[in-house]
Amino acid sequence: MKLTDEINPGISPKNTAPDSQQLEYAYFEGQYVPFTEAKLSIRNPAFLYGTSLFEGIRGYWLPETKQLSIFRMKEHYQRLLFNSKLFYMTPADLSLDDLCDITVELIKRNNPSTDMYIRPTLFKSGETITPTLENIPSDFCLWTKPLGEYLDLSKGLSVCVSNWRRVQDNCIPARAKAGGAYMNTALAVTDARKMGFDDAIFLTSEGTVSEGSAMNLFLVKDGQLVTPSKTEDILEGITRDTIITLALNELGVDTVERTIDRTELYHADEAFFCGTGAQVSPITRIDNREVGDGTPGELTRKIQDLYFDVVKNKLPRYQSWCTLVQL
Ligand SMILES: Cc1ncc(COP(=O)(O)O)c(C=O)c1O
């Protein structure tokens, strides 16, 4: 199956940049600068040791009103700031509101007319050869990029259980979205794709189901949603939370958060990935076994439709999740 991701090298996004002549800006070292001027030293510790924390946020283009709907921006920055404490990266001079304001301002300066990916990063800066988190400065940067679909949302994905295990909480906490931990992701995705699968499902080091390479996982069994609990070395996804809320409020469907055995994957009626990048991506094959009847499931489709309505600011009940930037 063809993947349609702009993050994945060599694959084009569905949407294109509005105007290739337009100067693109980034936020770097406390300023809005032309993107090409935002550069780090090759001695930067985040580059050397992966000592960074990041978020991936989506902005959905609303052509009728010429607005960008940034989805759950505040929650993304809350997660970033929460994790920054653990890694001694709390930015001294930037509050939650400042981070949101910088994001809105950068969007205005980049003036897109397409769906966007927004990438904030907190990182260790200065120059040191010691892999440490203390007594070296932290910095914040931000860039944006047009982004279409990260995974194919229509036909259903064929995925495998990775033979790489998810990083453990007491190694590099998966809930932290730490740059260095994405070597783990890269190994799983690369090997899955080399074997002909679209993506991979991680097991924990205990052998229970954890999450996708860069997305959370849901199964449907007997009309109920089941997803690995927060202690299964997952990122506590904002989309995961969105789905749990929407399924309950809008469809009356409960989600059970619990430990999941590997073989439950093969017995599921439906399965899907979710995440800022993945959005809601149906899974139709796991380890070459059909999920349900091998087509995207009915409940998955309903959740996918709801999700797109919500991120595009169409459901009044959830409009507080969308920050609208007028362009
Ligand atoms: C490892 C991992 N799990 C899950 C997710 C989904 O998290 P969210 O819904 O907050 O984007 C992501 C990021 O998208 C991720 O990198």
Side-chain angles (χ1 to χ4, degrees):
M1 177 173 300
K2 186 158 171 11
L3 299 165
T4 53
D5 160 31
E6 220 287 325
I7 298 177
N8 293 329
I11 301 171
S12 304
K14 244 165 97 180
N15 304 312
T16 51
D19 178 359
S20 54
Q21 303 303 310
Q22 191 182 299
L23 186 58
E24 188 189 355
Y25 289 94
Y27 185 84
F28 184 67
E29 295 180 337
Q31 289 183 320
Y32 302 94
V33 296
F35 179 78
T36 50
E37 288 175 21
K39 296 209 167 101
L40 286 175
S41 160
I42 56 172
R43 289 190 188 140
N44 169 273
F47 169 66
L48 295 177
Y49 303 120
T51 46
S52 66
L53 301 173
F54 69 98
E55 284 297 322
I57 309 174
R58 267 191 190 261
Y60 289 87
W61 176 239
L62 310 179
E64 306 80 24
T65 54
K66 299 201 181 318
Q67 289 168 316
L68 196 78
S69 166
I70 309 179
F71 191 59
R72 302 193 74 174
M73 172 168 66
K74 201 169 168 190
E75 289 86 339
H76 279 281
Y77 281 121
Q78 274 166 337
R79 183 169 69 187
L80 187 69
L81 290 177
F82 190 71
N83 284 320
S84 73
K85 278 196 213 163
L86 174 64
F87 284 88
Y88 302 98
M89 281 192 214
T90 307
D93 51 345
L94 294 174
S95 65
L96 178 62
D97 286 345
D98 293 335
L99 294 168
C100 293
D101 290 347
I102 290 168
T103 305
V104 169
E105 177 60 27
L106 187 66
I107 288 291
K108 285 185 179 162
R109 288 183 186 226
N110 283 339
N111 192 30
S113 52
T114 186
D115 293 347
M116 295 297 279
Y117 180 71
I118 299 162
R119 169 59 77 99
T121 307
L122 277 175
F123 60 99
K124 284 295 169 190
S125 56
E127 292 188 3
T128 175
I129 53 166
T130 309
T132 179
L133 297 166
E134 260 197 307
N135 301 324
I136 51 170
S138 299
D139 212 336
F140 170 76
C141 69
L142 179 67
W143 51 263
T144 66
K145 197 171 175 33
L147 177 68
E149 293 172 8
Y150 178 79
L151 293 173
D152 194 313
L153 303 180
S154 53
K155 286 182 241 152
L157 304 171
S158 168
V159 306
C160 63
V161 170
S162 181
N163 49 25
W164 296 100
R165 296 293 168 99
R166 190 76 182 116
V167 278
Q168 272 184 300
D169 189 60
N170 56 10
C171 296
I172 308 177
R175 65 166 54 80
K177 217 165 164 55
Y182 281 72
M183 286 292 270
N184 182 227
T185 298
L187 285 169
V189 171
T190 306
D191 284 358
R193 291 183 183 169
K194 276 183 176 294
M195 288 189 294
F197 295 101
D198 295 316
D199 219 291
I201 295 172
F202 274 120
L203 302 182
T204 66
S205 47
E206 303 299 320
T208 54
V209 176
S210 176
E211 61 177 340
S213 61
M215 43 264 176
N216 293 116
L217 174 73
F218 281 79
L219 305 178
V220 178
K221 188 71 186 164
D222 300 328
Q224 217 171 31
L225 285 168
V226 187
T227 194
S229 58
K230 291 178 181 174
T231 49
E232 295 294 307
D233 294 330
I234 66 166
L235 180 71
E236 295 174 21
I238 289 161
T239 319
R240 176 184 181 276
D241 175 73
T242 302
I243 304 276
I244 293 172
T245 307
L246 293 179
L248 185 63
N249 289 356
E250 306 303 316
L251 304 171
V253 173
D254 272 329
T255 303
V256 182
E257 299 175 61
R258 63 167 172 82
T259 302
I260 300 177
D261 283 341
R262 175 181 183 154
T263 48
E264 290 186 78
L265 295 172
Y266 311 129
H267 285 182
D269 301 327
E270 301 179 27
F272 62 90
F273 281 142
C274 73
T276 297
Q279 304 175 105
V280 178
S281 308
I283 299 169
T284 49
R285 290 178 81 80
I286 303 179
D287 287 340
N288 296 312
R289 295 158 176 87
E290 280 190 349
V291 177
D293 66 2
T295 63
E298 201 185 320
L299 185 55
T300 303
R301 282 289 184 224
K302 281 188 189 158
I303 290 172
Q304 197 182 43
D305 290 348
L306 263 174
Y307 177 79
F308 282 111
D309 281 349
V310 167
V311 296
K312 292 179 182 168
N313 198 40
K314 288 186 186 159
L315 294 193
R317 188 171 183 185
Y318 304 100
Q319 281 174 345
S320 63
W321 281 347
C322 300
T323 303
L324 299 179
V325 184
Q326 188 68 52
L327 295 163

